[in-house]
Amino acid sequence: MSRTLVIGDIHGAYRALEQILERAAVTENDRLIFLGDYVDGWVQSPEVIDFLIQLKQKHHCIFMRGNHDDLLLKWLVTGQHTEQWFMHGGQVTTASYLKVSDEKKQLHILFLESLEDYYLDEDNRLFVHAGFTNLNGVKHEYFSKMFYWERTLWETALALDKSMDPNDPLYPKRFTLYKEIFIGHTPVTRIGETTPINKANVWNIDTGAAFKGPLTIMDADTKEYWQSDPVYKLYPEENGRN
């Protein structure tokens, strides 16, 4: 039987990506939904993108756009960067790309340009890197950058009173539009966790692979999940974003 498997923020951790696909026993029958932020953190960002391009040739893959992916795309196309991006993993990534041929860089640009802002499946489940702000849903979002930059969806889910009825007029409308919402972007390590966390109907799959946590892949139906080793242990010679 086919599964819908959701993968959290990879952040250049190619070794961890290999681990979770093996531990989840991924097959060509599975649908793989990647939530974005493939780069910035560990040194193997180019290898991650190479692997994902190849993976798509044999597997049903859907790739969301993360904010770090968008920043890398801009640098690859224009050569421009911000100091803030460099401080949050961009410097390691650009150094890694010094070893990448111009031909391969063009393939990576095409991949980054092809990323999706969001994905809605047949069961009205939303997959998006960060979130959305429009109270009428993703198809009405005014500013597309919100799909891979905003954090209020997750912050609201964390602060929501668990006893509030979804039919209450004060209940946040964004949580009533979709059966479930799967996000990354804001690592759950910020609240002291390293496993997927569910608040309201939001599942956060970013388990802090860029920092001290593992990389996670989760079955969207059963909620069973598999994790890599803590990523910093797979790259003992590096700091990641720590």
Side-chain angles (χ1 to χ4, degrees), residues 75-87:
W75 176 76
L76 286 172
V77 172
T78 69
Q80 298 176 356
H81 71 275
T82 65
E83 289 305 315
Q84 185 179 18
W85 176 48
F86 263 31
M87 290 173 57

Side-chain angles (χ1 to χ4, degrees), residues 4 8 23 71 111 128 131 142 172-173 191 204 229 240:
T4 296
R23 291 174 181 180
L71 291 167
F111 172 79
V128 62
Y142 290 111
K173 185 179 178 182
I191 56 172
N204 189 333
D229 297 347

Side-chain angles (χ1 to χ4, degrees), residues 23-86:
R23 291 174 181 180
V26 170
T27 74
E28 293 182 11
N29 293 325
D30 296 320
R31 173 170 53 176
L32 305 177
I33 301 179
F34 291 82
L35 293 177
D37 274 4
Y38 311 109
V39 303
D40 296 349
W42 308 100
V43 75
Q44 292 189 290
S45 289
E47 288 86 346
V48 168
I49 294 184
D50 273 344
F51 181 81
L52 296 178
I53 291 171
Q54 295 170 10
L55 190 71
K56 191 174 184 179
Q57 295 176 6
K58 293 185 177 180
H59 292 75
H60 181 188
C61 297
I62 302 168
F63 298 109
M64 299 305 108
R65 175 180 291 103
N67 54 308
H68 286 270
D69 312 315
D70 190 56
L71 291 167
L72 172 60
L73 174 61
K74 289 179 180 177
W75 176 76
L76 286 172
V77 172
T78 69
Q80 298 176 356
H81 71 275
T82 65
E83 289 305 315
Q84 185 179 18
W85 176 48
F86 263 31

Side-chain angles (χ1 to χ4, degrees), residues 30-203:
D30 296 320
R31 173 170 53 176
L32 305 177
I33 301 179
F34 291 82
L35 293 177
D37 274 4
Y38 311 109
V39 303
D40 296 349
W42 308 100
V43 75
Q44 292 189 290
S45 289
E47 288 86 346
V48 168
I49 294 184
D50 273 344
F51 181 81
L52 296 178
I53 291 171
Q54 295 170 10
L55 190 71
K56 191 174 184 179
Q57 295 176 6
K58 293 185 177 180
H59 292 75
H60 181 188
C61 297
I62 302 168
F63 298 109
M64 299 305 108
R65 175 180 291 103
N67 54 308
H68 286 270
D69 312 315
D70 190 56
L71 291 167
L72 172 60
L73 174 61
K74 289 179 180 177
W75 176 76
L76 286 172
V77 172
T78 69
Q80 298 176 356
H81 71 275
T82 65
E83 289 305 315
Q84 185 179 18
W85 176 48
F86 263 31
M87 290 173 57
H88 292 280
Q91 189 167 14
V92 172
T93 300
T94 54
S96 298
Y97 268 92
L98 295 176
K99 308 171 187 177
V100 176
S101 69
D102 289 341
E103 182 180 5
K104 183 168 286 188
K105 285 179 184 176
Q106 290 302 313
L107 292 176
H108 288 198
I109 288 171
L110 291 174
F111 172 79
L112 293 167
E113 288 176 339
S114 73
L115 301 178
E116 304 285 349
D117 282 337
Y118 63 85
Y119 175 68
L120 265 174
D121 76 0
E122 61 280 358
D123 294 319
N124 193 37
R125 298 182 297 191
L126 174 66
F127 302 83
V128 62
H129 178 65
F132 63 100
T133 61
N134 194 293
L135 298 185
N136 293 311
V138 293
K139 294 181 180 179
H140 300 274
E141 187 65 63
Y142 290 111
F143 307 105
S144 62
K145 286 187 176 182
M146 292 296 99
F147 294 127
Y148 45 94
W149 275 108
E150 85 95 35
R151 298 190 195 274
T152 65
L153 184 82
W154 180 238
E155 288 184 335
T156 304
L158 286 175
L160 186 64
D161 185 343
K162 295 180 181 178
S163 66
M164 183 179 288
D165 191 304
N167 294 315
D168 190 309
L170 297 180
Y171 195 86
K173 185 179 178 182
R174 283 186 291 176
F175 299 145
T176 68
L177 301 174
Y178 306 106
K179 180 180 178 181
E180 290 178 310
I181 304 170
F182 295 86
I183 65 168
H185 188 49
T186 305
V188 299
T189 49
R190 291 189 180 185
I191 56 172
E193 304 289 349
T194 56
T195 60
I197 299 298
N198 171 227
K199 297 292 182 180
N201 67 334
V202 180
W203 281 91

